[in-house]
């Protein structure tokens, strides 16, 4: 079977799965779960076989023609797509297997697994698309599937509100993304990724507005400031959804898209600077917000925001390097920043999916308790969850030798070499990461159980434990595959690696920020039912809580005081002018004309003769004036 055929089967299999579940298996939850999971296994097998057998290719077919414009359904499978499809396939399969146990008793299990399948189809479409229009189509499908899955527990008002919030906020970013695609077509006459690269390489000027408009899509999807507000609320969905969509794959789509359009940014340094600062601000802001969270999933949600900020900042820090001519399918452009961002995207997908699924195991074992101050003592009751979750925590805080250490160091080294203020911000964010993750780890797993739910906690079944073990192995070994593997060489070869004194400096900084953050958390937090920071420094705690609520408060004020009043003004003008003067006014004039016309029909022959003569006289007058 050809590589192109395998790619099409891998792409279309989850669409077929979603269609079968929607049409025939809506009341057969077990069959739907089995079909969706087998499809996820097919995706993982197909994606990994394409990635590791060296298949790299491009292929297109005409899909829609409008005049001179033709929309192509194309596949672009290079090293970047191979890396991303591997991440999506492996994490997606782990989430499906975990969901078999986690959603076992859910009455709407078929709808849930159908949503997972449509999401996998949408995400694979983004990865494989070779032009911006196709990316946008699948981009919107990802938003649709995210809406469905966040709103799985639709009977809860909080879930319904969270899904609407996610949908609306993402549409704001997507509007800018669409404008950027239109501007790109206007400037280059194409939206094909390879053709855009050729034009930029040929010297075509790129206005900074184009990449910045396209960046709006990433700001929404990857939850960057100020469009980050939807992600913490999206934790209302089932925990496996949080692992798949809101930690490892969907939110990473924005980073992947930036790397896809990297030539545009490379030709517009101003745009890269904007991207860099948006990422740095997001990394710091989200890390500060995570400190005050008591919901285990929301701590991880703000952690995700912070790590996504790291990736975006890394992309903005990149410098252009043009690779020598090589085999077909290799990237023409790649920067150290994009490589570092994709490296951290990969390692983060493993350890953050591990921690989200680990939190799901904790929530499942504690009978759906999510407050970390009502847990405790779980290290003895849930040993596999404790061991694997600990590996995830060590990976994210940068323990030397684990995956997160390598990828975070690459970003810190890049920042140290290119922008000192950003380096300071990211290093301080790393201290905060070690602080709030150690806080979470101590409160959940140590001390005595602080609630009845924690007292009766228990380890889940095989389907819940196996994905944790697989992701723990990847969280430990993922960094080595990037540094010493050559499967994704076009990406891995550009990862910034410190040497000599720079290597020593970065190593010292990494260990120092980890020890400082984790050590302070150990000193401050003892397993207890109250927040030690709130007790010892209520002013600082209140300030951090206010920082967390500030954006939502600002948006609420804007909607209530500006948008709503503007909408009321528009409605008033519509009632007065459109509905009143224009529609009803014209209708009234037409009605009067009709009444006048009806008045002429009196049924008298003499009256009709007079009107005929009157009309003839007017016609003669006009005709005579025209002839003269």
């Amino acid at each position: 079977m050809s590589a192109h055929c395998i790619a099409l089967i891998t792409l279309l299999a989850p669409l077929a799965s979603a269609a079968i579940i929607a049409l025939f298996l809506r009341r057969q939850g077990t069959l739907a779960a089995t079909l969706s999971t087998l499809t996820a296994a097919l995706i993982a097998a197909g994606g990994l076989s394409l990635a590791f057998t060296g298949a790299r290719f491009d292929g297109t077919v005409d899909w829609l023609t409008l005049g001179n414009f033709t929309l192509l359904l194309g596949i672009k499978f290079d090293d970047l797509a191979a890396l991303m499809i591997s991440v999506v396939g492996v994490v997606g399969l782990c989430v499906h297997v975990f969901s078999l146990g986690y959603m076992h008793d859910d009455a709407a299990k078929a709808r849930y697994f159908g949503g997972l399948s449509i999401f996998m189809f949408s995400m694979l479409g983004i990865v494989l698309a070779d032009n911006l229009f196709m990316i946008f189509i699948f981009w919107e499908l990802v938003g649709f599937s995210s809406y469905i899955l966040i709103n799985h527990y639709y009977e809860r008002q909080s879930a319904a509100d969270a899904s609407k919030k996610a949908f609306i906020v993402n549409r704001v970013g997507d509007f800018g993304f669409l404008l950027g695609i239109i501007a790109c077509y206007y400037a280059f006459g194409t939206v094909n990724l390879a053709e855009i690269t050729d034009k930029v390489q040929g010297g075509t000027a790129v206005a900074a507005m184009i990449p910045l408009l396209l960046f709006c899509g990433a700001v929404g999807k990857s939850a960057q400031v100020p469009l980050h507000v939807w992600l913490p609320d999206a934790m209302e969905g089932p925990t496996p959804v949080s692992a798949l969509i809101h930690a490892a794959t969907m939110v990473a789509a924005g980073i992947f898209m930036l790397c896809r359009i990297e030539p545009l940014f490379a030709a517009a340094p101003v745009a890269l600077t904007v991207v860099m600062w948006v990422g740095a601000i997001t990394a710091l802001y989200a890390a500060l917000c995570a400190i005050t969270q008591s919901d285990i999933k929301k701590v991880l949600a703000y952690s995700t925001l912070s790590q996504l900020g790291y990736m975006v900042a890394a992309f903005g820090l990149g410098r252009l390097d043009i690779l020598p001519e090589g085999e077909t399918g290799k990237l023409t452009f790649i920067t150290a920043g994009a490589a570092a961002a994709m490296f951290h995207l990969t390692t983060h997908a493993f350890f953050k999916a591990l921690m989200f699924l680990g939190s799901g195991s904790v929530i499942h074992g504690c009978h759906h308790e999510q407050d970390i101050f009502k847990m405790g003592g779980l290290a003895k009751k849930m040993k596999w969850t404790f061991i694997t979750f600990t590996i995830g925590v060590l990976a994210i805080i940068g323990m030397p030798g684990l995956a997160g250490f390598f990828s975070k160091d690459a970003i810190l080294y890049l920042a140290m070499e290119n922008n000192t203020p950003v380096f300071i911000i990211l290093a301080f964010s790393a201290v905060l990461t070690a602080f709030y993750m150690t806080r979470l780890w101590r409160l959940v797993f140590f001390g005595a159980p602080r609630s009845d739910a924690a007292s009766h906690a228990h380890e889940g079944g095989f389907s819940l434990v196996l994905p944790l073990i697989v992701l723990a192995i990847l969280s430990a070994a993922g960094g080595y595959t990037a540094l010493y593997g050559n499967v994704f060489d076009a990406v891995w070869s550009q990862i910034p690696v410190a040497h000599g004194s720079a290597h020593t400096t970065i190593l010292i900084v990494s260990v120092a920020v980890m020890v400082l953050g984790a050590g302070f958390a150990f000193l401050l937090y003892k397993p207890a039912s109250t927040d030690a920071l709130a007790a010892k420094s209520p002013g600082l705690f209140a300030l951090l809580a206010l920082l967390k609520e500030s954006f939502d408060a600002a948006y609420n004020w804007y909607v209530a005081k500006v948008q709503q009043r503007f909408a009321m003004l528009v409605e008033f003008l519509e009632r007065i002018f459109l509905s009143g003067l224009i529609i009803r006014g014209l209708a009234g004039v037409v009605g009067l004309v009709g009444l006048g016309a009806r008045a002429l029909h009196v049924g008298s022959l003499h009256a009709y003769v007079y009107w005929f003569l009157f009309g003839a006289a007017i016609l003669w007058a006009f005709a005579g004036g025209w002839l003269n």
Side-chain angles (χ1 to χ4, degrees):
M1 186 180 296
S2 68
H4 194 274
C5 185
I6 294 174
L8 285 176
I9 292 175
T10 303
L11 172 63
L12 297 177
L15 178 61
S17 171
I20 292 172
I21 291 173
L23 293 174
F24 306 111
L25 302 178
R26 285 182 293 178
R27 299 182 183 276
Q28 304 293 326
T30 302
L31 287 177
T34 302
L35 175 62
S36 183
T37 304
L38 290 175
T39 303
L42 175 63
I43 293 169
L48 291 174
S49 67
L50 288 172
F52 286 88
T53 56
R56 305 293 185 264
F57 59 90
D58 295 334
T60 58
V61 294
D62 292 352
W63 186 48
L64 179 65
T65 300
L66 298 172
N68 295 327
F69 173 75
T70 300
L71 183 59
L72 301 176
L73 176 60
I75 292 178
K76 181 179 180 65
F77 195 78
D78 52 14
D79 282 4
L80 187 61
L83 174 60
M84 194 66 184
I85 201 173
S86 300
V87 172
V88 173
V90 171
V91 175
L93 179 57
C94 288
V95 169
H96 274 78
V97 173
F98 187 89
S99 297
L100 291 175
Y102 192 86
M103 304 296 289
H104 181 265
D105 297 325
D106 194 285
K109 185 162 57 173
R111 172 162 53 84
Y112 169 83
F113 278 95
L116 288 186
S117 289
I118 196 66
F119 169 79
M120 293 294 284
F121 165 70
S122 308
M123 192 66 206
L124 290 173
I126 293 176
V127 173
L128 297 175
D130 74 339
N131 66 81
L132 289 174
F133 274 127
M134 291 307 301
I135 288 177
F136 184 77
I137 291 170
F138 287 107
W139 194 269
E140 295 304 302
L141 283 174
V142 164
F144 165 73
S145 54
S146 173
Y147 172 83
I148 291 175
L149 291 168
I150 295 172
N151 198 31
H152 180 73
Y153 302 120
Y154 62 87
E155 67 278 1
R156 295 202 315 236
Q157 187 61 43
S158 57
D161 292 342
S163 62
K164 289 185 288 186
K165 187 176 185 179
F167 188 83
I168 293 171
V169 172
N170 273 277
R171 296 296 74 74
V172 174
D174 292 351
F175 180 68
F177 188 24
L178 181 59
L179 291 179
I181 295 173
I182 295 171
C184 195
Y185 184 78
Y186 178 80
F188 301 108
T190 182
V191 291
N192 182 273
L193 298 168
E195 293 175 4
I196 291 173
T197 299
D198 291 339
K199 288 180 180 291
V200 173
Q201 190 176 20
T204 303
V206 178
M209 176 192 70
I210 294 176
L212 286 177
L213 284 172
L214 295 172
F215 177 56
C216 290
V219 171
K221 198 70 73 187
S222 292
Q224 298 296 288
V225 171
L227 299 182
H228 65 283
V229 292
W230 67 270
L231 184 60
D233 289 3
M235 297 302 108
E236 290 292 336
T239 304
V241 170
S242 302
L244 178 64
I245 295 184
H246 308 120
T249 54
M250 189 192 89
V251 290
I255 312 301
F256 175 80
M257 186 270 289
L258 290 179
C259 296
R260 269 287 185 235
I261 60 172
E262 185 184 22
L264 295 174
F265 284 92
V270 174
L272 279 175
T273 302
V274 173
V275 171
M276 175 189 69
W277 281 109
V278 169
I281 291 170
T282 302
L284 178 59
Y285 169 82
L288 290 170
C289 291
I291 294 173
T292 61
Q293 296 300 308
S294 59
D295 186 311
I296 185 171
K297 289 174 64 177
K298 289 199 173 183
V299 175
L300 297 177
Y302 278 106
S303 171
T304 299
L305 285 175
S306 185
Q307 299 305 306
L308 289 168
Y310 258 85
M311 300 174 207
V312 171
F315 180 86
L317 287 163
R319 300 185 303 274
L320 177 63
D321 295 316
I322 301 178
L323 293 177
E325 292 296 328
E327 59 186 271
T328 304
K330 294 292 185 182
L331 295 173
T332 305
F333 286 76
I334 188 69
T335 68
M342 287 302 299
F343 188 16
H344 198 54
L345 181 154
T346 304
T347 60
H348 175 265
F350 297 145
F351 60 68
K352 187 53 66 66
L354 167 61
M355 286 189 288
F356 261 111
L357 293 185
S359 72
S361 179
V362 168
I363 293 168
H364 184 269
C366 291
H367 310 284
H368 300 285
E369 177 60 65
Q370 296 185 199
D371 190 338
I372 59 177
F373 292 100
K374 295 181 180 180
M375 296 179 181
L378 300 186
K380 297 179 180 179
K381 296 177 177 294
M382 306 179 69
K383 293 182 179 180
W384 283 109
T385 300
F386 169 67
I387 294 170
T388 54
F389 197 93
T390 301
I391 293 174
V393 170
L394 293 175
I396 194 175
I397 68 175
M399 172 64 73
L402 300 185
F405 167 77
F406 294 107
S407 58
K408 187 174 289 187
D409 273 18
I411 296 175
L412 289 176
Y413 170 63
L414 194 63
M416 185 179 72
E417 292 290 307
N418 290 279
N419 194 298
T420 301
V422 171
F423 170 73
I424 295 172
I425 291 174
L426 295 182
F428 182 61
S429 300
V431 174
L432 296 177
T433 300
F435 176 79
Y436 64 71
M437 289 308 305
T438 303
R439 164 184 179 262
L440 170 68
W441 179 69
R442 283 207 81 186
L443 291 173
V444 169
F445 291 104
F446 294 96
R450 296 184 294 277
S451 68
D452 184 65
S455 299
H456 295 87
H458 58 86
E459 191 73 82
F462 179 75
S463 64
L464 272 69
V465 172
L466 179 61
L468 299 181
I469 296 173
V470 172
L471 290 170
I473 293 171
L474 293 172
S475 298
Y480 297 100
T481 60
L483 292 181
Y484 303 110
N486 58 3
V487 177
F488 315 109
D489 190 55
V491 180
W492 288 164
S493 62
Q494 297 301 310
I495 294 174
V497 180
H499 297 284
S501 60
H503 173 73
T504 303
T505 302
I506 287 297
L507 179 61
I508 293 173
V509 169
S510 297
V511 173
V513 298
M514 179 189 68
V515 172
L516 183 62
F520 186 52
F522 260 102
L523 292 175
L524 181 62
Y525 285 97
K526 309 295 182 185
S529 57
T530 57
D531 195 305
L533 181 62
K536 296 183 178 181
S537 184
L540 176 60
F541 188 88
L543 180 63
L544 293 175
L546 179 63
L547 181 67
K548 178 180 71 70
E549 302 294 338
S550 59
F551 277 93
D552 275 326
Y555 279 123
N556 290 336
W557 178 88
Y558 167 78
V559 170
K561 302 298 183 181
V562 179
Q563 181 174 294
Q564 188 65 20
R565 292 182 180 181
F566 179 73
M568 293 172 64
L569 174 62
V570 171
E571 182 190 23
F572 173 77
L573 295 177
E574 186 272 337
R575 287 176 178 271
I576 297 298
F577 291 102
L578 185 61
S579 299
L581 294 179
I582 297 177
I583 296 177
R584 295 180 182 176
L586 289 177
V589 171
V590 172
L592 290 175
V593 172
L595 290 174
R598 289 178 60 189
L600 298 179
H601 295 275
V602 295
S604 172
L605 181 62
H606 293 84
Y608 295 155
V609 170
Y610 290 139
W611 279 115
F612 173 77
L613 294 175
F614 178 72
I618 293 176
L619 181 63
W620 175 82
F622 277 101
W626 178 74
L627 292 174
N628 292 333

